């Protein structure tokens, strides 16, 4: 199965490279003297190269950057195929500097060449950007520029999600949803900023330096979003581990439950989103035991009725705690129901059969 996935990956990358090379033959929608676009294209490509190093990790072992600001600008100032060649060259340098594996180098270069070729082609359908962005009718100019920016964004997201899906075996829709959760607006903002960069070059070149500020803000925002997500998960999981360690008989219990639950969910071939939800919820399913005293939690003898009642409160306590964190809101019901039983004899609500969420049944 691994070899089959590897073969699909290579076939996808080779096919993409062929298509990207063919995209350089797309007709140019406009032409302009070399002196009008070559210097600024070189500058924008250099800026894009620098921004490539400001990478933000995504959920599925991928990365994203704000280099789209410079790339969209290039698609609007350089006629085909020169914009795609400039961006492809900058990406190639970045990949070689980081010593990425050949297959990653080919994919990333081909991805950007095709993306810029299509964005430039779409922009050319409306005429020369120098006209549509400055002296043309305002709504027409908006449509032209934003169509090119949206093309850049959608093609890039689609190709990136496709290769991650092939490499990981996860469903394409899941990869798109998980990798772009919380970053869609900053990503689209970067593309829109690229439009302003191109328009600024045509209208007021001396003011371009001011656009460096919002570019830095977007880059910082993306990094903060991912860091806060990572730190929140780490903090909650550390707390769950600390609770497990209160009782020597449950050492690493939550981690083991998560591992087994994920294996079971995958063997059932449930949706990828549910697999990740099970992984996340199972990892912290006993968090509510922080509200149970040591006298009850570690009592060596049988619990009396009052102690049993207090022990059975821990799923509700855990659900209330996790409900305060946006990253865990989808897993709250799984944590609340992980002690429910198919015959209705579980707790805390006595749910039975299909009324118990599937993820909670897997964890149980």
């Amino acid at each position: 199965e691994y070899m089959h996935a590897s073969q699909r990956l290579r076939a996808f990358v080779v096919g993409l490279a062929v298509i990207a090379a063919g995209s350089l033959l797309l007709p140019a929608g406009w032409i302009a003297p070399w002196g009008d676009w070559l210097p600024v294209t070189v500058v924008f490509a250099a800026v894009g190269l620098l921004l490539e190093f400001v990478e933000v990790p995504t959920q599925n072992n991928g990365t994203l950057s704000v280099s789209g600001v410079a790339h969209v600008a290039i698609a609007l100032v350089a006629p085909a195929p020169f914009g795609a060649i400039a961006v492809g060259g900058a990406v190639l340098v970045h990949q070689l500097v980081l010593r990425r594996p050949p297959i990653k180098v080919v994919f990333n270069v081909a991805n950007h060449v095709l993306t810029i070729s299509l964005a430039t082609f779409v922009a050319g359908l409306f005429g020369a950007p120098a006209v549509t962005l400055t002296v043309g009718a305002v709504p027409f100019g908006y449509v032209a520029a934003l169509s090119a920016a949206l093309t850049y964004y959608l093609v890039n997201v689609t190709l990136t999600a496709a290769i991650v899906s092939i490499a990981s075996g996860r469903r394409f829709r899941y990869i798109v949803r998980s990798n772009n959760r919380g970053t869609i607006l900053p990503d689209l903002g970067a593309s829109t900023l690229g439009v302003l960069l191109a328009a600024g070059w045509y209208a007021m070149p001396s003011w371009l330096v001011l656009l460096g500020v919002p570019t830095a803000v977007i880059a910082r925002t993306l990094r903060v979003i991912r860091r806060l997500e990572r730190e929140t998960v780490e903090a909650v999981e550390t707390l769950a581990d600390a609770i497990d360690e209160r009782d020597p008989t449950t050492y690493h219990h939550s981690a083991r439950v998560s591992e087994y639950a994920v294996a079971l969910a995958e063997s059932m071939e449930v949706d990828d989103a549910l697999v990740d939800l099970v992984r996340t919820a199972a990892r912290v399913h006993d968090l509510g035991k922080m509200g149970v005293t040591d006298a009850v939690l570690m009592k060596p003898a049988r619990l009396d009725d009052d102690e049993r009642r207090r022990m059975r409160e821990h799923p509700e306590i855990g659900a209330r705690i996790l409900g305060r964190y946006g990253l865990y809101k989808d897993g709250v019901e799984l944590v609340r129901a992980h002690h429910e039983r198919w015959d209705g004899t579980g707790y805390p609500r006595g749910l039975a059969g299909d009324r118990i969420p599937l993820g909670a049944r897997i964890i149980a």
Side-chain angles (χ1 to χ4, degrees), residues 29-350:
W30 82 92
I31 58 174
W34 289 75
D36 289 353
W37 58 265
L38 183 57
V40 69
T41 298
V42 172
V43 172
F44 286 170
V47 171
L49 175 59
L50 293 175
L51 292 176
E52 287 284 354
F53 290 95
V54 186
E55 292 183 330
V56 180
T58 60
Q59 183 171 333
N60 290 285
N61 297 320
T63 59
L64 57 85
S65 74
V66 292
S67 57
V69 174
H71 295 168
V72 171
I74 290 174
L76 294 171
V77 300
F82 303 106
I85 294 173
V87 172
V91 172
L92 176 61
V93 171
H94 170 256
Q95 297 293 294
L96 294 178
V97 168
L98 295 183
R99 297 182 179 180
R100 293 280 169 79
I103 193 169
K104 283 192 174 183
V105 175
V106 174
F107 168 76
N108 284 309
V109 173
N111 177 9
H112 285 85
V113 167
L114 179 58
T115 299
I116 298 299
S117 292
L118 293 177
T120 303
F121 176 76
V122 169
L125 295 176
F126 296 87
V131 177
T132 57
L133 294 181
T134 55
V135 299
V138 170
F140 186 76
Y142 287 166
V143 173
L146 294 180
S147 294
L150 192 59
T151 298
Y152 173 87
Y153 173 76
L154 292 177
V155 174
N156 195 284
V157 165
T158 300
L159 293 176
T160 301
I163 195 168
V164 172
S165 175
I166 294 172
S168 65
R170 314 302 291 273
R171 291 178 177 87
F172 173 79
R173 287 183 300 174
Y174 166 75
I175 297 298
V176 171
R177 188 168 60 248
S178 61
N179 272 357
N180 294 280
R181 184 189 70 243
T183 62
I184 291 180
L185 287 180
D187 282 344
L188 291 176
S191 297
T192 304
L193 196 56
V195 172
L196 296 178
L197 198 62
W201 164 253
Y202 289 127
M204 297 178 295
S206 61
W207 288 74
L208 290 184
V209 66
L210 295 181
L211 293 179
V213 175
T215 301
V217 169
I218 291 176
R220 177 65 175 171
T221 299
L222 289 171
R223 294 176 74 89
V224 168
I225 289 172
R226 293 306 184 192
R227 191 186 75 234
L228 288 177
E229 288 181 346
R230 184 180 67 254
E231 291 177 351
T232 298
V233 170
E234 290 175 353
V236 175
E237 289 184 355
T238 298
L239 184 58
D241 289 341
I243 293 169
D244 284 348
E245 291 171 8
R246 289 168 62 190
D247 182 354
T249 64
T250 60
Y251 188 69
H252 286 320
H253 166 72
S254 295
R256 289 194 301 272
V257 169
S258 180
E259 181 180 348
Y260 298 148
V262 167
L264 177 57
E266 290 178 339
S267 70
M268 293 171 63
E269 297 184 353
V270 301
D271 185 80
D272 289 329
L274 181 56
V275 174
D276 270 1
L277 190 58
V278 165
R279 174 186 289 108
T280 302
R283 188 68 180 79
V284 296
H285 71 281
D286 272 344
L287 188 65
K289 285 184 177 178
M290 66 186 302
V292 181
T293 63
D294 287 348
V296 173
L297 190 62
M298 292 181 283
K299 183 178 179 180
R302 182 183 295 273
L303 302 179
D304 61 32
D305 290 343
D306 181 61
E307 291 168 336
R308 188 177 297 107
R309 178 189 59 78
R310 281 184 282 166
M311 175 64 83
R312 291 188 172 191
E313 291 175 349
H314 83 266
E316 286 284 6
I317 296 173
R320 286 200 301 270
I321 294 171
L322 293 174
R324 301 174 184 174
Y325 299 96
L327 287 174
Y328 287 96
K329 62 181 178 61
D330 294 332
V332 166
E333 288 307 312
L334 274 62
V335 171
R336 179 178 283 118
H338 77 272
H339 273 294
E340 302 289 357
R341 293 294 178 266
W342 186 259
D343 60 2
T345 61
Y347 59 89
R349 291 176 293 174

